[in-house]
Amino acid sequence: MHLRCVRCDRRYPFDPLLWRCDCGGPLEIEGLSPFDPASLDGSTATIWRYRAALPVPPEVAPVTLGEGQTPLIPDRWDGRPLYFKAEHLNPTGSFKDRGASLLTTVLKEAGVERVVEDSSGNAGAALAAYAGRAGLRATVYVPAHASPVKRRQIAAYGAEVVPIPGPRSAATEAALAAVAAGAAYASHVYAPVYVQGMKTLAFELWEQLGRRAPSDLLLPAGHGTLLLGVYKGFAELRSQGFIGRLPRLYGVQATACAPLVRAWEQGRPVAAVAEGETVAEGVRISNPPWGDRVLAAVRESDGALLALDDRATLAAQETLARRGLYIEPTSALAVAALDALRDRLGERPVVVLTGSGFKTPPPAPDDWQRQAADFAARHGLRHGPAVHALDLVSEVGEVAKELLLATGYGTRPYRPRPALAGELGDALYSLLLLAESCDVRAGDALVAALDKYRARLAARSAAGSSKE
Ligand SMILES: [Zn+2]
């Protein structure tokens, strides 16, 4: 068993702490025993059933919470049969437990005591739980915009949570600074062991489908490490002659942040894109380091990469909840892709439900924006006072709701997202349009409001300087 650089092909002896080549390229594990049904460990209903194909010697005790062996639920979509793989039922509520169980086992065995990770939530929660189980100290750097529920979950497992303002990549930089200072990087993106844990999903599906591969596999793709992991698993099954061909792999991204899809459509290498806002926060990755490998795996499988917007995602989340499947928006992305792929799917498609709805619930029934949009659509409203009023209600409602929730109804301090000022501006603009459509001279109103606000600022700074 050794490590090989994906970029420059350099080889290293296996080292559990090595996560990147000297050239900066990501590393892969090679030289493992391939999957063999004869070596399954029937004594456990976890990913450790497949331990003979994992990079852990047989005498090592796994750090486990019962991850893997999740239900494969038959269902129908648009009249056609399919399966949902219920990865949201893993111990910490996401598929990341497969990688975290394996990685913490390897790091603990290597004598590591302190681990760091950067994550928008699911990977951080998984690492925190397994590190706690293993008795390792964990620090998780999370983007300040990550779901508060996920942040609380990470902290509950005993990990130190460090919110990092700015884009998702800022959290990675913070983690790398800690790694440079001596911590072990337990990265769900870079650690070569992690993706090996994802392979077990392929083996499980093969067993659950009666020793057959799915015809198609739909999953959300941010970094694309889940996609790469299942690709590796099915490639092993194919190399051993257990399946004839790979399932078609469909990686689904959010329109607001879709570097893989852009490269796929343009036929170019993956390059960074702007990190737009999306409800699918788990795949909000602007520059995935494994991108080109993901594209190659999708191409080899005869699949595709596609992007969907938040509206389709939230609608899919609601549809699944009505069927008893409570998943987060990032997972719903892959479900939403079913409509787009309708005519391409084979006889046995599987959609991976990656994360639990407990972490990022569907919008509350008082979601102003959605209600206003629905109301306008129902009544055929286009322009004029009614629409401006609805816009105003929805925009002010959203801003107010965010402030109230983020501050615990005014009991906690809060550093607003930079975008919030813009959203407040949208609300003011809607107010002016409304005023205008009611024949109020909006310009006069705005000048009056600004005068008042300026006077307030002046009074506040006068009060501040008199204290000094
Ligand atoms: Zn290299």
Side-chain angles (χ1 to χ4, degrees), residues 4-10 12 20-27:
R4 186 181 64 81
C5 173
V6 171
R7 198 186 288 169
C8 75
D9 221 36
R10 182 170 166 190
Y12 299 82
R20 185 163 70 175
C21 177
D22 287 343
C23 81
L27 297 168

Side-chain angles (χ1 to χ4, degrees), residues 88-89 317 320-328 331 353 355-362:
H88 62 301
L89 300 181
Q317 186 186 24
L320 251 64
R322 299 282 155 92
R323 297 183 183 189
L325 295 163
Y326 197 49
I327 56 167
E328 66 174 331
S331 309
L353 305 180
S356 169
F358 292 129
K359 296 174 180 237
T360 315

